[in-house]
Amino acid sequence: MTLLAVERIKLFSTRSPWWCMLLALGLTVGLTAIIAANWDGSPMPVMGAVFTHTFGLYVIMVMAALAVTTEYRFGTIKSTFQAAPDRTSPMIAKAVVVVLLSALVGLAASFGSWGLSWLLADDTSQLALSSGNDWRHVAGVGLVFGAGALLALGIGALVRQTAGAVSIILVFALVLENVVGLIPNIGDDIQNWMPFLVAQKFILGDPDPSGIPDGAGPPAIGELSPWGSFAYFAGIALAIYIISLVVVKRRDA
Amino acid sequence: MIEATGLTKHYGKTVAVDDLSFSVQPGRVTGFLGPNGAGKSTTMRMILGLDSPTRGKVTVKGRDYRSLHDPLRVVGALLDAKWVHPNRSARAHLQWLAKSNRIPSRRVDEVLDIVGLTQVAKRRAGGFSLGMSQRLGIAGALLGDPEVLMFDEPVNGLDPEGILWIRQFMHRLADEGRTVFVSSHLLSEMAQTAQDLIVIGRGKLISQTSTEQFIKDATEDTVRVRSPQLDRLRELLAGRARIADAAASDGALVVHGVEPSFIGELAAANGITLHELSPQLGSLEEAFMQLTKESVEYHAAD
């Protein structure tokens, strides 16, 4: 418990986590506001309010990566390991704090987006959270943010430098996952298993047919069910995080 | 107390520390002396469990550092004053450290007071001068009121006032019965700070002895003498010591092979006035360089 408090003090006694959280929230909610205000011709569906969660996700992953890379950058990781030489316990404490916080930001961002859509969209007849799928579209963002933060922590602890960790996350999510689809023959099959695209299926996949006229909406990629997709994404995050724990324990600080 | 046995550390093909064995006793300031790149910091990191030894082991109070419960209460260390987040306040930095080892937060105020940083506790540590950073690092080392304290090159870059403060501070800690282990690459600094010396070069132990003994062994006794009756003194000393004239304009004698006290007594017995009688510290540094010459890793081109 004390180590949780330690990580909380560390995170909140510098400014960059605050900025990242505000930015994640602002980007997601702000872009949704533009979408909602311009939604014409048909009732706005629930998932229309959460398209923008991916922007917030990238920012929150940067925050999570920073939470560990700045410790390496400024050498405070040595003080951390001096104070808790088993190394695993402070890293787990950091993960608990960062993942919970990221999930909260995710929930705030998705419910904020959804709430603002109520106010701004012309036709809100389909915007009510009337089914399990509707709830998954909105509340699921919290889970994806949490899992994404765990993945970013793992990458940050493995790479140990901010620029490297952030580049890996952004290049993978924004470039590689899309470019992979261009590979002839096998590209699509590989793309179906790209973690960030799969995570999007958890949020946007299998909408209620009543809310999406003619099955329109973003293509949800992947072979798995929405919940299976989340399990896949979270599993990858957990695997990389656990590898980072083993490496951190063995490596010279 | 700190005990190293056969401590060895390889980084790839580089041997940073080579079969090093020594022990550091409580109640004394022990200097850890060696040229840059000799393996002092690596050894200290291994003591703290930050780097794992390739072979051998090192214990603090008989235990592996990584097995200590609340280690900050046993060992306090300042390895690098810059290991602080620049945007975190001095107080917040000490607070998370204290919290991690269940040290009450009133202790944070105490150590801030001890090192004289109370006034600037709320300022961001990134704006601190080197001297203030060193003080903050020392405050961190003192947090757990530990029996063992380690400082890596604590006076580097400090002004004379800061150097004096740290020197007196370390003596006080040792007088309280603590184990104080402090590294430096300057023998002249260690000569004034440490009672015991562990000297290493290229990762190998060169000597472990008292500072007094080390200096005695390492330097030929060299004394500078000035006197209005220089010729008379020269006659008296002839045959008992080697004498060389210093720069002619200076009018001083440089005497090898006898103690200053011997010259002083000789002068008094013969009614000779002395204007200067000083053991030569410059030769101390030379002697140290002589000792470690073969073990210096980075030579300047001749």
Side-chain angles (χ1 to χ4, degrees):
Chain A
M1 280 319 278
T2 53
L3 286 177
L4 289 180
V6 169
E7 294 302 326
R8 197 196 63 227
I9 295 172
K10 275 198 232 171
L11 202 63
F12 290 133
S13 57
T14 60
R15 264 168 299 180
S16 68
W18 291 106
W19 283 114
C20 286
M21 286 189 287
L22 276 175
L23 191 63
L25 207 59
L27 260 182
T28 310
V29 177
L31 289 173
T32 299
I34 296 172
I35 293 174
N38 293 295
W39 197 283
D40 289 329
S42 65
M44 186 168 181
V46 171
M47 56 186 264
V50 293
F51 287 153
T52 59
H53 78 274
T54 52
F55 297 104
L57 174 63
Y58 303 141
V59 178
I60 218 69
M61 285 184 73
V62 168
M63 179 201 78
L66 279 172
V68 49
T69 55
T70 50
E71 287 231 39
Y72 280 99
R73 163 81 174 78
F74 296 119
T76 51
I77 195 76
K78 278 125 177 163
S79 310
T80 299
F81 292 159
Q82 225 173 291
D86 73 295
R87 299 191 185 184
T88 306
S89 57
M91 294 309 268
I92 289 178
K94 190 185 287 296
V96 170
V97 171
V98 171
V99 166
L100 278 179
L101 196 68
S102 302
L104 282 177
V105 172
L107 288 175
S110 61
F111 279 98
S113 298
W114 176 76
L116 205 61
S117 301
W118 266 106
L119 298 175
L120 295 175
D122 286 338
D123 185 347
T124 58
S125 60
Q126 292 295 334
L127 211 49
L129 300 181
S130 52
S131 72
N133 285 342
D134 289 338
W135 278 96
R136 167 168 55 77
H137 295 320
V138 179
V141 173
L143 288 176
V144 169
F145 274 35
L150 190 67
L151 176 60
L153 277 171
I155 293 169
L158 287 171
V159 180
R160 286 185 285 184
Q161 42 159 314
T162 305
V166 171
S167 310
I168 288 173
I169 291 164
L170 294 185
V171 168
F172 195 93
L174 296 174
V175 181
L176 212 67
E177 293 209 343
N178 299 306
V179 170
V180 149
L182 302 177
I183 300 173
N185 302 325
I186 53 165
D188 285 346
D189 294 332
I190 299 176
Q191 203 169 34
N192 280 341
W193 296 97
M194 290 280 116
F196 288 93
L197 290 171
V198 171
Q200 274 185 48
K201 182 172 183 183
F202 169 61
I203 302 296
L204 303 173
D206 292 0
D208 291 327
S210 62
I212 304 292
D214 316 323
I221 286 177
E223 312 274 323
L224 302 166
S225 69
W227 280 99
S229 299
F230 176 71
Y232 177 76
F233 182 64
I236 287 177
L238 192 62
I240 290 194
Y241 174 72
I242 288 172
I243 290 170
S244 81
L245 285 185
V246 174
V247 170
V248 163
K249 180 127 186 154
R250 288 194 184 166
R251 197 167 52 187
D252 287 338
Chain B
M1 109 181 232
I2 304 167
E3 188 117 39
T5 37
L7 201 60
T8 303
K9 178 68 181 178
H10 295 202
Y11 292 110
K13 283 186 177 160
T14 317
V15 182
V17 175
D18 192 0
D19 196 23
L20 194 58
S21 300
F22 61 82
S23 67
V24 184
Q25 300 304 326
R28 302 172 71 83
V29 177
T30 303
F32 193 26
L33 189 62
N36 288 326
K40 301 187 294 291
S41 299
T42 304
T43 303
M44 286 187 152
R45 281 203 304 273
M46 286 193 281
I47 295 171
L48 294 173
L50 293 175
D51 286 13
S52 311
T54 310
R55 275 192 303 281
K57 64 171 193 166
V58 57
T59 57
V60 180
K61 292 183 78 191
R63 295 180 61 186
D64 184 345
Y65 185 89
R66 291 190 195 184
S67 73
L68 292 174
H69 192 63
D70 286 346
L72 299 186
R73 292 170 178 266
V74 182
V75 187
L78 166 60
L79 292 202
D80 189 331
K82 288 190 214 80
W83 288 350
V84 176
H85 194 299
N87 292 332
R88 201 173 274 142
S89 72
R91 191 153 208 291
H93 172 73
L94 294 173
Q95 243 158 358
W96 78 255
L97 271 179
K99 192 89 185 170
S100 69
N101 276 224
R102 282 167 277 267
I103 296 162
S105 63
R106 96 183 101 78
R107 178 71 184 158
V108 170
D109 296 319
E110 276 172 30
V111 294
L112 279 168
D113 193 44
I114 291 172
V115 301
L117 287 180
T118 309
Q119 301 288 326
V120 295
K122 288 202 172 96
R123 272 173 48 187
R124 45 184 289 275
F128 281 11
S129 69
L130 185 56
M132 288 158 87
S133 300
Q134 294 281 29
R135 284 169 189 255
L136 177 58
I138 289 171
L142 293 175
L143 262 184
D145 197 15
E147 277 175 59
V148 179
L149 285 138
M150 298 204 317
F151 304 100
D152 194 7
E153 307 264 3
V155 301
N156 255 13
L158 289 190
D159 55 17
E161 197 191 353
I163 292 175
L164 189 66
W165 180 79
I166 285 192
R167 200 183 286 157
Q168 289 171 341
F169 193 69
M170 287 190 293
H171 282 148
R172 207 162 76 226
L173 292 169
D175 290 344
E176 290 167 1
R178 301 177 210 260
T179 306
V180 181
F181 191 40
V182 52
S183 82
S184 174
H185 60 278
L186 297 174
L187 178 58
S188 51
E189 172 55 34
M190 284 295 97
Q192 296 176 71
T193 309
Q195 286 126 13
D196 289 329
L197 277 185
I198 293 164
V199 186
I200 66 169
R202 285 234 167 156
K204 284 196 174 74
L205 187 71
I206 292 176
S207 93
Q208 166 158 23
T209 170
S210 73
T211 308
E212 208 182 338
Q213 190 63 43
F214 178 80
I215 292 171
K216 218 177 220 148
D217 293 349
T219 56
E220 222 184 343
D221 294 314
T222 303
V223 187
R224 216 178 116 87
V225 191
R226 283 197 308 131
S227 162
Q229 297 124 287
L230 211 57
D231 291 335
R232 173 112 178 81
L233 189 65
R234 198 196 302 263
E235 277 166 33
L236 285 165
L237 280 168
R240 300 184 196 186
R242 285 187 292 116
I243 303 168
D245 283 290
S249 61
D250 200 14
L253 280 183
V254 177
V255 184
H256 297 277
V258 289
E259 301 271 339
S261 55
F262 175 82
I263 300 173
E265 279 156 22
L266 191 71
N270 292 279
I272 296 173
T273 310
L274 293 182
H275 287 171
E276 182 184 351
L277 180 66
S278 53
Q280 291 301 282
L281 272 177
S283 62
L284 194 67
E285 214 58 60
E286 276 164 33
F288 170 55
M289 285 197 277
Q290 202 68 34
L291 251 173
T292 55
K293 193 160 70 183
E294 279 89 62
S295 60
V296 173
E297 186 165 10
Y298 308 105
H299 285 284
D302 287 324

